[in-house]
């Protein structure tokens, strides 16, 4: 039954309005009317107040229907008056349910603010006392008389301070700075001014203010009833049922189904108050025969409501495991004590698995059950056990798991028994719920999809093949992405070591001789299907009973070998490479130091190594990774934002490892952001030169400003590299940046804005400064291949090199998250540079490796630490991305087509300088276009060319800007030599076309 009630929001009071007032134009007296005085303030314009210039009275409709009033007034009496000489007639007005109406009264001479609008300004207004008096809302304009008028025309009355009239008792006094407010926004009316009103800072509400509804629906009776009561025949039993109602008293319970001898209700206790709990016991005595008895129980309350629930009384000697599991999502014996029998198939850290060896032959019901207990049983024992059946839901799990807990009796019937494993094919579509708790043998090979929790929980995530993050391939929200997400959710099984804590001996690694990697395959999988918490979330697990067999189908490889080019560029996330450590020391042994984050500097801001020992391991891994790649230019992410200190340290370690200055760093741009980490670059000076200074985009949308640098190759070709580290997926998860559940995680809007800024503003700026259209975008964009930020960049014209070179051969990925692969690390090129790309690849030296072998020691067992080695594998949690480019030369050697002849030397006796005319003759037989670059090779040491255009590789050159030299034609220019030592000198020449 549903009813509408007007809630009087005082503790313990709830009144049903017998009739809501449809209109109050006719005189009518109501103890608790719909229209009430909800606020007054009598200090308007007074000296000593800064609030409002006018006194005011506020009225409120606490009912459920609109009220139209005509010919009404508000009237005022002083503290001890018996006559009401102050009166303000009101114009006709309508107040909707929950709406306020503001009435202005007389003001003072102060400079306070006017009242908010809309406001009723009566033709006649009066002054009110700031502290004490009486105010009445009257349904006509007849002047009131008496201290407390009780005539039918008085709709509501408020006496305040020490007034001689009020409803029951006057409220507290007001003041210059305090108004009087009716409780709960005007909803409460107990006809006691002292109880209904309290003081507060003046805050007049108008008809435009938010509505405040006082009308609510009646609450239903809420029942707590188990679905079944399981007892053994001849023992009897019972179960408690309860009901409560938030706004009524539950006062009755009865059985309404057909009477069954031996089943009854006993011990009914009604609720003590509204919202209280009523309880009763459903009892089944020992005389009940075996069988199933559905019982319906009805609860009633003092508001004539009722609610019923059904309980099935199941009387049995022993419940089969398949009956306990049932065919539904939850056990029909949930929360009931049962007895069952089975063979112990496996023991784990917190209990054991029990299975009916014969089974019921029904593929829809499981024959296995987990018993949560520390009871002493052995594998192979046939036991009878009594306990409570529960549906356990691990934290964050989408489903429950049927198990027995609170074991009260265990009896071993025999030992040495066995259960034949059920053969299954796990192809990614199999519903593992039907095998819950059962011993199985998986016929097919499965692929390791994640090893992140091997060292901390002894877990490997397996699947039929590798699972790709849906938004790595498909646009978010598309049917394809949704279908792949659904398929991935079913296609997962965690191989577990049965102990649920960090293993002291790491499983599956052969004492360190073999490190399992994601992508390796596993066969010989025999064990019990479990369900519970895993390293990330919850899922189905295989608690293996026989040691599985591993195949290195995804072996470690060296850095990728790309198609030949003349420049190799890579990006690498260096996993928080900090030269300042979390213990307050740094790489130079200093103590009491910290890391800068925004305006703070503290060791707590540091994110990398905890100490020097970890830092040395980290450095060796990163150096091995970078030297293995052997890129000409590296873009780095997650390096400490301490100027060039951390980057310089890494360069020194790289150069120290090879024994000569192979690398240099690109000096930091003006803006590197306020985060504790930044992006940076290093390069080989022997392969490329810096053109200009590095640029960065300090716009506030960029969490970590992107960094750009233009490089020039040995053949004169230029390109610009932009290194990026977009906003993380797991931060700023609110507002428009909240996780939308489409697979893109938190902060997708922020990352898309960063991508737009990069494409529309920063890249055009780079092209303009470099005077070259060849731009390569690399870095950790924290977005998978088909997500909005990447779509924004490719829609702007950038070409995705991983989709171009990797996708046709295999799934591109650089990161493993929740057992799914995707690439957060990207290589995108402008169309002009894309045409010069010869290859792109990821080196899977990190993502497929178990976390336990990274540099970090903190929190790892000794067994895990012992597996850390000084190699390139698990140098980070991201795989590096490598691209190869074949940049065409900007100059061409034309020496074979042009002769170079120098005239005799002419000395200037004043300056001592010597000059000569050099003539180029075109002997190619066809016209040649300039400009021509004449390089002075083998010039005698100590002699320089005063009018040289510049130097190339330590040699002077002069540019001849003739547009064209016809066949057989000549072009001449002058060379001025400075020979301070007056030695006999000479040189040879080479001629190039193009520009340096």
């Amino acid at each position: 039954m549903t009813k509408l009630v007007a809630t009087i929001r005082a503790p313990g009071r709830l009144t049903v309005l017998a009739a809501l007032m449809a209109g109050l134009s006719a005189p009518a007296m109501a103890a608790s009317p719909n229209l009430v005085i909800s606020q007054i303030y009598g200090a308007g314009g007074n000296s000593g107040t800064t609030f409002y210039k006018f006194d005011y009275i506020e009225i409120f409709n606490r009912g459920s229907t609109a009220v139209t009033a005509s010919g009404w007034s508000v009237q005022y009496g002083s503290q001890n008056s018996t006559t009401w000489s102050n009166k303000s007639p009101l114009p006709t007005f309508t107040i909707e349910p929950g709406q306020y109406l503001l009435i202005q009264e007389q003001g003072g001479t102060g400079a306070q603010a006017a009242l908010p609008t809309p406001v009723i300004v009566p033709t006649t207004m009066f002054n009110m006392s700031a502290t004490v008096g009486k105010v009445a809302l009257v349904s006509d304009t007849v002047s009131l008389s008496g201290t407390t008028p009780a005539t039918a025309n008085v709709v509501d009355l408020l006496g305040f301070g020490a007034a001689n009239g009020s409803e029951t008792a006057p409220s507290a006094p007001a003041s210059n700075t305090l108004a009087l407010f009716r409780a709960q926004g005007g909803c409460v009316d107990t006809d006691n001014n002292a109880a209904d009103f309290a003081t507060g800072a003046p805050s007049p509400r108008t008809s435009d203010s938010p509505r405040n509804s006082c009308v609510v629906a009646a609450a239903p009776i809420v029942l707590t009833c188990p679905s079944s009561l399981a007892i053994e025949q001849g023992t009897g039993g019972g179960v408690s049922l309860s009901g409560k109602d938030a706004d009524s008293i539950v006062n009755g319970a009865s059985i309404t189904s057909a009477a069954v001898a031996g089943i009854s209700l006993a011990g009914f206790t009604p609720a003590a108050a509204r919202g209280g709990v009523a309880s009763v016991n459903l009892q089944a005595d020992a005389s009940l025969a075996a069988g199933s008895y559905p019982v319906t129980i009805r609860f009633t309350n003092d508001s004539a409501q009722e609610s019923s629930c059904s309980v099935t009384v199941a009387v049995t000697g022993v419940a089969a495991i398949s009956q306990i599991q049932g065919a539904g999502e939850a056990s029909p014996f949930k929360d009931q004590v049962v007895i069952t029998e089975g063979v112990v198939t496996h023991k784990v850290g917190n209990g054991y698995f029990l299975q009916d060896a014969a089974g019921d032959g029904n593929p829809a019901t499981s024959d296995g059950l987990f018993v949560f207990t520390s009871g002493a049983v052995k594998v192979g024992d046939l036991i009878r056990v009594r306990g409570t059946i529960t549906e356990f839901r691990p934290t964050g799990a989408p489903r429950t798991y049927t198990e027995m807990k609170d074991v009260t009796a265990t009896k071993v019937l025999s030992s040495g028994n066995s259960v034949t494993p059920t053969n299954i094919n796990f192809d990614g579509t199999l519903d593992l719920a039907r095998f819950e708790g059962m011993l199985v043998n998986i016929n097919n090979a499965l692929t390791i999809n994640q090893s992140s929790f091997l060292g901390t929980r002894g877990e490997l995530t397996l699947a039929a093949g590798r699972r790709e993050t849906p938004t790595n391939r498909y646009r978010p929200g598309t049917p394809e992405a949704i279908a792949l997400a659904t398929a991935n959710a079913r296609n997962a099984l965690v191989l577990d070591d049965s102990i649920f804590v960090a293993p002291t001996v790491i499983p599956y690694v052969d004492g360190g001789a073999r490190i399992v990697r994601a992508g390796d395959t596993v066969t010989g999988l025999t064990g019990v299907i479990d369900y519970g918490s895993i390293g990330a979330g919850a899922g189905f697990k295989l608690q293996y009973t026989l040691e599985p067999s591993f195949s290195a189908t995804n072996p470690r490889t060296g850095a990728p070998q790309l198609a030949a080019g003349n420049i190799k560029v890579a990006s690498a996330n260096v996993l928080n490479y900090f030269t300042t450590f979390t213990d307050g020391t740094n790489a130079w042994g200093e103590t009491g130091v910290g890391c800068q984050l925004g305006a703070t500097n503290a060791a707590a801001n540091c994110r990398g190594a905890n100490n020097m020992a970890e830092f040395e391991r980290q450095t060796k891994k990163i150096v091995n990774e970078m030297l293995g790649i052997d890129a000409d230019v590296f873009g780095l992410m997650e390096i400490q934002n301490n100027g060039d200190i951390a980057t310089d340290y890494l360069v020194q370690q790289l150069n120290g490892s090879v024994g000569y200055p192979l690398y240099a760093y690109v000096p930091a741009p003006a803006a590197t952001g306020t985060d504790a980490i930044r992006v940076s670059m290093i390069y080989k000076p022997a392969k490329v030169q810096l053109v200009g200074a590095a640029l960065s985009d300090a716009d506030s949308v960029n969490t970590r400003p992107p960094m750009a640098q233009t490089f020039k190759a040995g053949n004169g070709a230029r390109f610009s590299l932009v290194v990026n580290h977009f906003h993380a997926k797991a931060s700023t998860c609110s507002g428009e940046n909240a996780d939308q559940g489409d697979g893109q995680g938190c902060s997708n809007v922020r990352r898309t804005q960063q991508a737009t800024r990069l494409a529309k503003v920063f890249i055009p700026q780079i092209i303009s400064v470099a005077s070259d259209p060849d731009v390569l975008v690399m870095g950790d964009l924290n977005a998978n291949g088909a997500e909005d930020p990447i779509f924004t960049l490719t829609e702007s014209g950038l070409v995705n090199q991983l989709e171009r070179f990797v996708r046709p051969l295999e799934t591109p990925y650089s990161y493993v998250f929740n057992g799914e692969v995707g690439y957060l690390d990207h290589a995108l090129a402008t169309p002009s540079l894309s045409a010069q790309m010869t290859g792109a690849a990821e080196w899977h030296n990190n993502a497929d490796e178990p976390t336990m072998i990274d540099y970090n020691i903190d929190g790892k067992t000794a067994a895990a630490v012992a597996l850390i080695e000084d190699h390139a594998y698990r140098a980070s949690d991201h795989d590096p991305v490598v691209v190869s480019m074949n940049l065409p030369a900007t100059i061409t050697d034309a020496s074979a087509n042009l002769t170079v002849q120098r005239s005799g030397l002419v000395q200037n006796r004043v300056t001592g300088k010597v000059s000569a005319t050099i003539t180029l003759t075109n002997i190619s037989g066809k016209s040649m276009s300039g400009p021509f670059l004449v390089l002075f090779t083998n010039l005698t040491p100590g002699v320089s060319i005063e009018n040289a255009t510049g130097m190339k590789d330590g040699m002077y050159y002069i540019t001849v800007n003739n547009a064209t030299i016809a066949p057989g034609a000549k072009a001449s220019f002058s060379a001025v030599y400075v020979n301070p030592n007056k030695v006999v000198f000479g040189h040879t020449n080479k001629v190039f076309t193009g520009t340096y």
Side-chain angles (χ1 to χ4, degrees):
M1 181 178 72
T2 302
K3 60 182 182 288
L4 287 179
V5 300
T7 303
I8 308 305
R9 303 184 189 183
R13 181 173 182 183
L14 188 68
T15 301
V16 178
L17 292 181
L20 300 174
M21 299 173 68
L24 295 179
S25 58
M29 184 66 181
S32 297
N34 283 1
L35 294 194
V36 294
I37 299 168
S38 54
Q39 183 185 170
I40 68 164
Y41 179 59
N46 285 6
S47 173
T49 178
T50 59
F51 286 100
Y52 294 98
K53 185 178 182 67
F54 299 96
D55 295 353
Y56 63 81
I57 300 169
E58 175 193 283
I59 60 177
F60 171 67
N61 185 352
R62 59 195 290 273
S64 62
T65 58
V67 175
T68 299
S70 180
W72 286 35
S73 64
V74 287
Q75 301 189 26
Y76 171 75
S78 60
Q79 175 179 1
N80 298 312
S81 67
T82 58
T83 60
W84 298 62
S85 56
N86 298 287
K87 177 171 56 183
S88 292
L90 302 176
T92 298
F93 62 86
T94 297
I95 309 183
E96 300 292 335
Q99 190 177 34
Y100 298 92
L101 187 72
L102 185 62
I103 303 166
Q104 177 177 302
E105 293 299 344
Q106 193 65 47
T109 59
Q112 296 90 342
L115 292 173
T117 57
V119 60
I120 291 176
V121 181
T123 55
T124 302
M125 295 183 287
F126 50 77
N127 276 313
M128 295 191 293
S129 167
T131 58
V132 60
K134 301 174 292 188
V135 177
L137 176 63
V138 186
S139 62
D140 56 29
T141 56
V142 177
S143 297
L144 301 177
S145 63
T147 58
T148 306
T151 53
N153 62 339
V154 177
V155 178
D156 195 23
L157 173 66
L158 167 60
F160 58 100
N164 63 357
S166 64
E167 290 184 357
T168 306
S171 74
S175 70
N176 274 0
T177 58
L178 295 175
L180 286 169
F181 291 82
R182 185 177 290 274
Q184 306 243 340
C187 289
V188 173
D189 187 3
T190 66
D191 298 328
N192 184 336
N193 294 158
D196 293 348
F197 282 85
T199 58
S203 180
R205 292 162 290 199
T206 73
S207 55
D208 287 344
S209 296
R211 304 290 176 90
N212 177 36
S213 177
C214 302
V215 179
V216 298
I221 300 174
V222 178
L223 303 183
T224 301
C225 303
S227 60
S228 62
L229 165 61
I231 61 173
E232 294 178 67
Q233 187 176 6
T235 60
V239 66
S240 179
L241 318 177
S242 65
K244 63 179 179 179
D245 189 325
D247 58 8
S248 299
I249 297 174
V250 179
N251 57 9
S254 60
I255 294 176
T256 58
S257 55
V260 177
I263 298 178
S264 62
L265 295 180
F268 176 72
T269 302
R274 293 180 177 87
V277 177
S279 62
V280 69
N281 291 322
L282 175 63
Q283 301 219 348
D285 65 32
S287 65
L288 277 173
S292 180
Y293 305 92
V295 182
T296 302
I297 304 94
R298 179 178 63 192
F299 286 77
T300 57
N301 66 12
D302 61 353
S303 295
Q305 292 175 281
E306 62 181 47
S307 183
S308 297
C309 64
S310 295
V311 179
T312 299
V313 179
V315 182
T316 183
V318 175
I321 291 175
S322 57
Q323 292 176 310
I324 294 172
Q325 286 283 5
E329 292 184 0
S331 169
F333 295 90
K334 179 179 180 291
D335 299 329
Q336 300 305 307
V337 175
V338 300
I339 293 176
T340 192
E341 291 181 1
V343 176
V344 177
T345 58
H346 187 54
K347 296 183 67 174
V348 293
N350 56 2
Y352 56 84
F353 293 89
L354 200 63
Q355 185 165 341
D356 183 347
D360 67 350
N362 182 358
T365 58
S366 170
D367 296 316
L369 180 68
F370 178 63
V371 182
F372 179 71
T373 182
S374 57
V377 296
K378 301 187 300 294
V379 172
D381 285 348
L382 174 64
I383 67 171
R384 177 176 292 176
V385 61
R386 178 191 288 121
T388 302
I389 299 302
T390 186
E391 289 294 324
F392 173 66
R393 186 185 296 273
T395 302
R399 68 182 303 275
T400 60
Y401 178 66
T402 304
E403 65 181 34
M404 178 182 282
K405 67 172 185 175
D406 300 334
V407 173
T408 57
T410 304
K411 182 178 181 180
V412 178
L413 304 178
S414 64
S415 299
N417 301 282
S418 63
V419 173
T420 302
T422 299
N423 290 315
I424 63 175
N425 288 312
F426 186 73
D427 59 358
T429 65
L430 186 66
D431 181 10
L432 289 174
R434 55 186 285 204
F435 302 103
E436 187 177 281
M438 290 179 59
L439 185 66
V440 301
N441 178 67
I442 298 176
N443 297 325
N444 55 308
L446 297 183
T447 303
I448 299 173
N449 275 241
Q450 179 168 262
S451 58
S452 300
F453 306 103
L454 179 57
T456 54
R457 297 177 62 94
E459 294 177 354
L460 294 174
T461 302
L462 311 180
R466 296 206 70 168
R467 304 184 306 164
E468 183 177 8
T469 301
T471 55
N472 200 57
R473 180 182 292 265
Y474 303 115
R475 291 286 291 134
T478 60
E480 294 85 357
I482 294 170
L484 183 54
T486 302
N488 284 351
R490 294 178 69 95
N491 185 19
L493 177 63
V494 172
L495 181 63
D496 200 4
D497 63 355
S498 301
I499 62 175
F500 309 138
V501 294
T504 55
V505 177
I506 306 298
Y508 326 127
V509 300
D510 286 347
R514 174 192 68 218
I515 295 294
V516 292
R517 283 169 45 92
D520 288 347
T521 51
V522 192
T523 54
L525 290 164
T526 298
V528 178
I529 297 296
D530 189 13
Y531 185 86
S533 297
I534 56 178
F540 282 103
K541 301 188 279 188
L542 181 77
Q543 304 293 353
Y544 67 92
T545 57
L546 296 177
E547 192 72 25
S549 177
F550 292 84
S551 297
T553 48
N554 182 31
R556 287 173 172 168
T557 63
Q561 300 299 311
L562 303 180
N566 52 14
I567 296 294
K568 186 193 297 185
V569 183
S571 70
N573 183 309
V574 291
L575 190 57
N576 291 315
Y577 188 76
F578 277 57
T579 53
T580 312
F581 314 139
T582 63
D583 68 357
T585 64
N586 63 20
W588 298 271
E590 296 173 320
T591 60
V593 292
C595 299
Q596 193 74 29
L597 176 62
T600 67
N601 187 287
N605 295 335
C606 303
R607 303 176 187 174
N610 296 321
N611 48 51
M612 192 64 186
E614 286 189 353
F615 181 65
E616 288 175 346
R617 293 173 186 261
Q618 182 184 25
T619 299
K620 289 175 182 177
K621 282 185 173 289
I622 293 172
V623 167
N624 286 329
E625 177 184 80
M626 297 178 70
L627 292 180
I629 296 172
D630 192 33
D632 301 314
V633 181
F634 277 101
L636 304 178
M637 290 74 65
E638 290 194 23
I639 197 162
Q640 185 177 357
N641 190 4
N642 58 349
D644 289 319
I645 295 173
T647 307
D648 177 56
Y649 189 95
L650 181 56
V651 167
Q652 291 181 41
Q653 302 310 303
L654 285 163
N655 292 341
S657 182
V658 298
Y660 63 95
L662 177 63
Y663 284 104
Y665 64 84
V666 177
T672 59
T674 58
D675 197 356
I677 55 176
R678 73 175 185 97
V679 298
S680 67
M681 296 186 208
I682 68 172
Y683 68 102
K684 290 181 180 177
K687 290 296 295 289
V688 293
Q689 298 176 8
L690 305 184
V691 179
L695 305 175
S696 62
D697 183 8
D699 188 86
S700 60
V701 75
N702 291 312
T703 314
R704 294 165 283 266
M707 174 182 178
Q709 176 65 54
T710 301
F711 296 93
K712 183 169 66 174
N715 65 0
R718 294 187 181 193
F719 72 96
S720 298
L721 173 64
V722 190
V723 185
N724 307 266
H725 191 183
F726 281 5
H727 204 70
K729 281 179 174 284
S731 57
T732 321
C733 209
S734 61
E736 66 177 5
N737 279 300
D739 190 337
Q740 303 300 310
D742 59 359
Q744 301 189 92
C746 297
S747 304
N748 180 58
V749 170
R750 178 74 175 273
R751 286 188 295 277
T752 304
Q753 291 168 341
Q754 290 174 328
T756 300
R757 173 82 185 180
L758 176 64
K760 302 298 184 184
V761 178
F762 195 40
I763 291 177
Q765 177 189 353
I766 296 165
I767 291 173
S768 175
V769 172
S771 299
D772 187 276
D774 295 343
V775 179
L776 176 61
V777 173
M778 298 189 80
D780 177 3
L781 303 187
N782 270 310
N784 288 296
E787 293 179 6
D788 293 344
I790 312 307
F791 181 75
T792 297
L793 294 173
T794 55
E795 284 293 288
S796 75
L798 294 178
V799 182
N800 189 327
Q801 301 303 309
L802 295 181
E803 290 294 323
R804 177 186 174 193
F805 288 104
V806 179
R807 177 74 73 181
L809 304 175
E810 60 184 18
T811 299
Y813 69 94
S814 67
Y815 196 75
V816 175
F817 181 72
N818 281 346
E820 297 177 347
V821 297
Y823 64 103
L824 304 177
D825 305 88
H826 295 262
L828 304 106
T830 53
S832 61
L833 184 58
S834 182
Q836 302 168 60
M837 289 286 178
T838 61
E842 301 126 327
W843 184 16
H844 300 310
N845 64 311
N846 293 325
D848 288 338
E849 298 281 338
T851 305
M852 67 182 182
I853 67 167
D854 70 12
Y855 72 87
N856 193 281
I857 301 172
D858 183 53
K860 292 180 181 176
T861 64
V865 172
L867 297 175
I868 303 174
E869 297 182 74
D870 296 334
H871 51 44
Y873 302 97
R874 201 65 190 188
S876 175
D877 52 348
H878 291 248
D879 287 333
V881 175
V882 188
V883 299
S884 177
M885 304 181 292
N886 192 20
L887 304 177
T890 59
I891 58 174
T892 302
D893 191 342
S895 301
N897 299 317
L898 292 162
T899 62
V900 183
Q901 185 175 5
R902 189 182 77 180
S903 70
L905 298 174
V906 177
Q907 184 174 18
N908 186 319
R909 295 183 180 278
V910 176
T911 64
K913 299 174 184 177
V914 177
S915 63
T917 299
I918 297 177
T919 302
L920 306 180
T921 303
N922 181 357
I923 61 173
S924 68
K926 58 183 179 181
S927 295
M928 298 183 64
S929 297
F932 300 94
L933 309 173
V934 181
L935 193 67
F936 289 75
T937 57
N938 302 310
L939 180 63
T940 301
V943 179
S944 60
I945 309 294
E946 184 182 60
N947 63 330
T949 304
M951 297 191 74
K952 171 65 175 173
D953 298 330
M955 293 175 282
Y956 293 98
Y957 70 91
I958 294 177
T959 300
V960 181
N961 289 313
N962 297 64
T964 303
I965 303 177
K970 301 177 185 296
S972 298
F973 64 93
S974 176
V976 179
Y977 303 89
V978 178
N979 182 11
N981 297 323
K982 296 182 172 53
V983 298
V984 176
F985 69 90
H987 58 79
T988 57
N989 294 95
K990 297 190 72 173
V991 184
F992 296 86
T993 58
T995 57
Y996 283 134

